[in-house]
Structure formats: C-alpha cells, structure tokens
C-alpha cells in the first residue's frame, strides 16, 4: 500500500508545501504594495529610542495640541531682505564642449542660479512651475528651515503642478554652503537638472575674495564641474572639460564644492596649499594646510576649501574625469592633471573645540539605524531590497523625538554599497567612526557618507519640530525604499504620498 502510494503521498506533500510557499510569498507580495495615497505617519513603527513613549497625536509642545507641519512656517510678515524667482522648465542646455542636454532647469539653466544671501536675511523664493509635468518643489538641502519650508512633496507641501507657484520664506540663520533641489521624484528631477547652489555669507564678508560655488554633476553620463562664469551674465556653464578663470596672484580664494550627484565624487586641488575650512555648511576649527589631499564628498555633501592664489596656476579636478577648472594668474598657461593624493579624513583634521554636547553627555534617546540588503518585495517588486533595521519600506522605523531632546544615532552600513545618509532640518555632530572618537575639529554634518561596513555615532539636539526625512542621498536608493522619517511627538502632516496623490518625494 505504502509502497504503491508512497510516490503519490510525497508528490501530494510536495505540492502542499509548494502551495503554502506560494501563498506566503503571495501574501508578502500583496502586503508590500503601497496604496494609491497614504500618509507617511501611518506606516512603519514608532521607535522612541528608549525615551518616553508619547502618543503621536498628543503634543509635548506645551499646548497639548496636535500641530500640523503646514503651520510650521517661516516668518510670514515683513519685507524680505533677499527675494528670488525660480521658474522650473524643460530646456536644452549646453555643456562647455557644446554637447546639448535635454535638461530640467531653473530659469533656463542647470545648475540653476547661484543664490547668495547674508546671514540673518529673511529670504523669499517664489517657485513657478512652467512645464515640468510631474510637479516640482524646492528643498533647501542643509538649511535648517522651519518644517513647512522644507520642500518635500507629500510631507511638507503638495508638489507644484505646471502653471502653479509656491512661495518659501525663511530666515537664513546659518552661514555656509548649501544647495537647493526639487524634492518631487527627486531621483529623476535632480539628475536631470533641477538644482543649484545656495550660499549664506557671513555679514560683512571680505569683498576681495574670489568666492565661488562649484557643483559636480553628471549630465547624461557626462561628469561636469559648474560654476559662475566670468562672462558678462555670469552664466553657469557645466564644464565637461578644463574650464578656466583668471585670478590675480595674492587673491584669497574660497571654493564651495558641492556634490549634486547620487554617487561620491573625489576632488583634487593642485598648485597651492589649501585648507578645508567648512563641511556641510559648518566651519571647521583650526584647519591646517594640505598639499595634495583628495577630497571625497558624498552625494549631497559639501566641502569649502580656501587658498591664496600663487604666482603659478592652480587646478581643481574631478578625479577620474576630464572635468576641471584651472585658476591662472592672467595669461599664465593652465596646469595639467595630477594623480590623486592621500584621502582627506575629517575625523582627525583640525583642532578640537568645546561643543554643546558630546560623547559623555546623557542622551534622552538613542536610535539605531542599520542598513542592510535582503530578498523581499518593495511595492510589489521582488528582488534584493534595502532594509532599515531589518524592515523593507514601508516597514521601517519612525524615530520619535520631543523638542529639546538630546539624541544619539548609531548608523551602520551593513551592505557593500556606499550610503550618503541625509537628515533634513538638523545638523549632527560626529562622535565616532567604527569606535574611534572624532579627534579633530568638531565635525557637523547633514549628509554623512557611509562606506561599506562603516558605523558612525552622531548626536544632535532636537530643536526644529516637524516631520523630517532621513534618507540615502543616492537618490536611486531612496526611491528604492532607503528612506524613513524623524517625527516630533505631536506633529503630523496633512499631506499624502503615493501614485494617486501626485506626490512622490523620491
Ligand atoms: Cu537633498 Cu531629502 O534631500
Ligand atoms: Cu544608499
């Protein structure tokens, strides 16, 4: 009997197991699909970092009332000190070699205009969308603006549709190098050109300095370096070859290097000793001269370098590309490329200085953010997915804080890819990397490039209420689910994301 039916039983059991496996996988697939519209507040799970558990709908802001991000605006009254109009439209731009790119632009150029304001200025920017079908927003990357001015479609506002406009107002409280970019379908819109430099100068900065923002961006696979030109209109032309600027010997030069790409970029500066004077818009303390260091800047990150123009030429190069800018005293021939020198390490650079908190502070909350890769479904698509603390988006944590908290984050990259992690609305102090304490200048970041296997501990003061994105600035990774939020207890968003909402921040 058994002998006769054995094969059938085995086949039956095999088939049953198969049915169960298919059912389980089918359910995983079904559950992974995101609804047409949803609130990011309804997804994932709250993580209180060991601090007090607060109902997300009860505010701890002194009033006890729930606050909408839409009410967390910049100053609405008063005449702005700096006013800009940015119009988003599709346009053909030309690289320095003449190559045409079908780009998305602000005011017809990409990068868009270099916006400069003074510290303390009330800034007003009116965004108009002429013809970008998917909609546009402007996020002020690294500027710790009030939440409603943060420009994230589906979280702090609705994407601005063609024919519509939206006005941002905020006080420029920081000093330094920042950038702006669309945060609607950003994985495509930033790559295609919707970005520009945003510089906040200290009051009364030296007029004789050549102060130039330089943006590294890859257009249609072609790496470029773009800066304000010397031409009459100061047009910004992306150089896919060696551009040049005339600079008188003895002139102080400050280059504000910005990486608007989704991958790390490496810069070299040859011909003059230089100092790295700021990272992510925060000045470094006691920066020492460097000779041939290679500066690796993660996606979305910035470094400011300063030098005095020597009698000979200086060359800023984007390593591994033909993109470069030559700085030459009048008529001097430009300098050729040089092999990259040793890697610059901010963990040990500069001189320590007192900070408002540090490794020995007592923290109100401690969060772990561990990035890994695992098989599963992301919005119905099977494959190897990014995971945060083991969960595939939207099963990621929502870090909940209260205003005033001192918060520590341990960020671990358990993958073989580089992840430039960016938290909106805050700057964090780097405490250690792989267990080695930061020993140079205080190192503040808004975008932290994590190499494979690295672990950083950073700390911040929760002083800017809102719902803030915390995501990988390899924008493809973010679009593939490497994104989550830090929410203040009692703050909610009325905006919705999802295919049917016209809001897709990634
Ligand atoms: Cu520069 Cu969430 O972005
Ligand atoms: Cu990533």
């Amino acid at each position: 009997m058994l002998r006769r039916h054995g094969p059938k039983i085995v086949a039956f059991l095999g088939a049953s197991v198969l049915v169960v496996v298919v059912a389980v996988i089918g359910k995983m697939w079904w559950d992974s699909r995101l609804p047409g519209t949803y609130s990011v507040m309804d997804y994932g799970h709250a993580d209180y970092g060991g601090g007090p558990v607060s109902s997300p709908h009860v505010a701890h802001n002194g009033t006890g009332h729930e606050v909408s991000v839409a009410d967390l605006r910049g100053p609405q009254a008063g005449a702005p000190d700096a006013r800009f109009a940015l119009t988003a439209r599709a346009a053909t731009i030309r690289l320095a070699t003449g190559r045409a790119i079908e780009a998305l632009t602000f005011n017809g150029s990409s990068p868009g205009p270099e916006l400069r304001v003074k510290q303390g200025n009330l800034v007003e920017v009116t965004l108009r969308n002429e013809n970008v079908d998917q909609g546009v927003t402007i996020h002020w990357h690294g500027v710790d603006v009030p939440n409603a001015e943060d420009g994230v479609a589906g979280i702090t506002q609705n994407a601005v549709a063609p024919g519509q406009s939206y006005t941002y107002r905020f006080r420029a409280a920081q000093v330094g190098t920042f950038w702006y970019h669309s945060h609607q379908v950003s994985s495509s819109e930033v790559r295609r050109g919707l970005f520009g430099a945003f510089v906040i100068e200290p009051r009364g900065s030296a007029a004789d300095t050549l102060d130039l923002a330089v943006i590294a961006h890859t257009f249609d696979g072609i790496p470029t370096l773009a800066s304000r030109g010397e031409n009459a209109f100061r047009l910004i032309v992306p150089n896919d070859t060696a551009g040049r600027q005339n600079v008188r010997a003895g002139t102080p030069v400050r280059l504000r290097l910005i990486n608007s790409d989704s991958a790390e970029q490496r810069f070299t500066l040859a011909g003059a000793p230089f100092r790295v004077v700021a990272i992510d818009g925060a000045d470094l303390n006691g920066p020492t001269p460097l000779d041939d260091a290679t500066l690796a800047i993660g996606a979305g990150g910035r470094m400011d370098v300063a030098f005095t123009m020597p009698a000979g030429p200086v060359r800023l190069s984007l390593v591994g590309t033909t993109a470069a800018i030559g700085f030459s005293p009048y008529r001097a021939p430009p300098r050729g490329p040089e092999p990259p020198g040793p890697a610059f390490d901010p963990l040990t650079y500069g001189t320590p200085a007192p900070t408002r908190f540090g490794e020995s502070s007592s923290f109100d909350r401690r969060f772990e953010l561990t990035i890994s890769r695992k098989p599963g479904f992301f919005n119905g698509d099977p494959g190897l997915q990014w995971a945060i603390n083991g969960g595939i988006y939207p099963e990621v944590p929502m870090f909940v804080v209260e205003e005033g908290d001192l918060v520590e984050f341990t960020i671990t990259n358990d993958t073989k890819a580089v992840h430039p992690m960016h938290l909106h609305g805050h700057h964090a102090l780097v405490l250690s990397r792989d267990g080695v304490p930061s020993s140079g200048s205080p190192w503040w970041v808004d975008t932290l490039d994590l190499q494979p296997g690295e672990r950083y501990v950073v700390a911040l003061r929760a002083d800017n209420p809102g719902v803030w994105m915390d995501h990988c600035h390899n924008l493809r990774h973010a679009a593939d689910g490497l994104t989550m939020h830090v929410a203040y207890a009692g703050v909610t968003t009325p905006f919705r994301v999802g295919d049917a909402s016209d809001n897709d921040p990634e």
Side-chain angles (χ1 to χ4, degrees), residues 279-346:
I279 295 178
D280 283 5
D283 285 345
L284 296 183
N285 185 56
T288 49
L290 299 166
D291 266 324
D292 58 351
T294 299
L295 307 177
I297 304 184
R302 289 90 60 215
M303 281 188 194
D304 292 18
V305 298
F307 60 93
T308 302
M309 189 63 201
V314 170
R315 181 186 172 104
L316 174 72
S317 315
L318 198 53
V319 175
T321 79
T322 54
I325 300 178
F327 299 91
S328 302
Y330 189 54
R331 288 214 181 116
R335 193 186 178 94
E338 273 177 41
F344 168 75
D345 186 358

Side-chain angles (χ1 to χ4, degrees), residues 57-120:
H57 299 292
V58 177
H60 293 260
N61 53 8
T63 70
H65 297 300
E66 195 173 303
V67 175
S68 162
V69 301
D71 295 329
L72 298 170
R73 307 223 59 168
Q76 294 303 294
D81 304 296
R83 178 183 257 150
F84 304 99
L86 292 177
T87 298
R89 65 164 164 269
T92 304
I93 63 159
R94 278 187 194 283
L95 307 185
T97 50
R99 159 106 184 213
I101 305 285
E102 299 309 322
L104 297 180
T105 69
F106 284 116
N107 299 359
S109 78
S110 180
E114 180 181 311
L115 307 185
R116 281 191 180 245
V117 303
K118 291 275 186 206
Q119 185 182 27

